[in-house]
Amino acid sequence: MTKPQPPPVSLLDKHFGTEFLPLYIGTVFVNGGEARHARASGVARSDDGMLDVQLRMPEELGGSGGGTNPEQLFAAAFAGCFHGALSLLAARAKVAIPDAEVVARVAFGRDPVDGMFMLSADIRIRLPGVDRTVAAELVRHTERLCPYAKMARAGIDCVVSLDP
């Protein structure tokens, strides 16, 4: 197995096309498992087999715990993407951030607008040893670059359809 390497800074080069240009597509299949309900007993598997997790309702929502849940998966994805974007920008700026840490907290709760459900996210970044002004600028630029931060702020193109 080869040692993991960060992506090249050239990934930050702008795209000037008129259409969305997919660079990678992640596909995950979820079923409801024993309870026939994905949050209670589901299984999430990626098409390449690298992700294979048991979904379980957290105890705070009346479940038994013992597995992960959509909020944890979303928090992991958000934090991972933000950290990656931060690392790319820091490399381009020649700022060392070897101990950078991103903590994402995703809350599932009630939406005061319609009384149903919504998510909120709290993203905290630690950049020990980096000048506060430099760190704040990196975080500000990362927030504009990270697709998860952009999605959380401005929404996402989303198509929901029923397969035949």
Side-chain angles (χ1 to χ4, degrees), residues 10-119:
S10 62
L11 195 59
L12 292 172
D13 294 348
K14 291 199 182 258
H15 165 62
F16 292 102
T18 58
E19 306 263 335
F20 174 71
L21 175 64
L23 300 176
Y24 167 75
I25 298 173
T27 303
V28 174
F29 303 88
V30 173
N31 65 47
E34 184 180 343
R36 306 292 184 251
H37 189 285
R39 283 183 79 70
S41 67
V43 177
R45 289 189 184 94
S46 61
D47 60 344
D48 65 2
M50 298 308 296
L51 177 74
D52 188 350
V53 296
Q54 302 295 311
L55 300 174
R56 296 296 179 265
M57 188 86 87
E59 292 177 9
E60 295 86 347
L61 294 176
S64 61
T68 192
N69 58 65
E71 292 73 33
Q72 290 172 331
L73 293 171
F74 183 65
F78 199 148
C81 187
F82 200 96
H83 190 287
L86 178 67
S87 297
L88 274 173
L89 289 174
R92 183 171 70 183
K94 300 190 180 349
V95 175
I97 58 166
D99 299 319
E101 181 178 59
V102 176
V103 177
R105 296 181 56 174
V106 173
F108 172 82
R110 289 297 190 168
D111 185 341
V113 174
D114 66 9
M116 295 310 290
F117 307 110
M118 68 179 288
L119 297 176

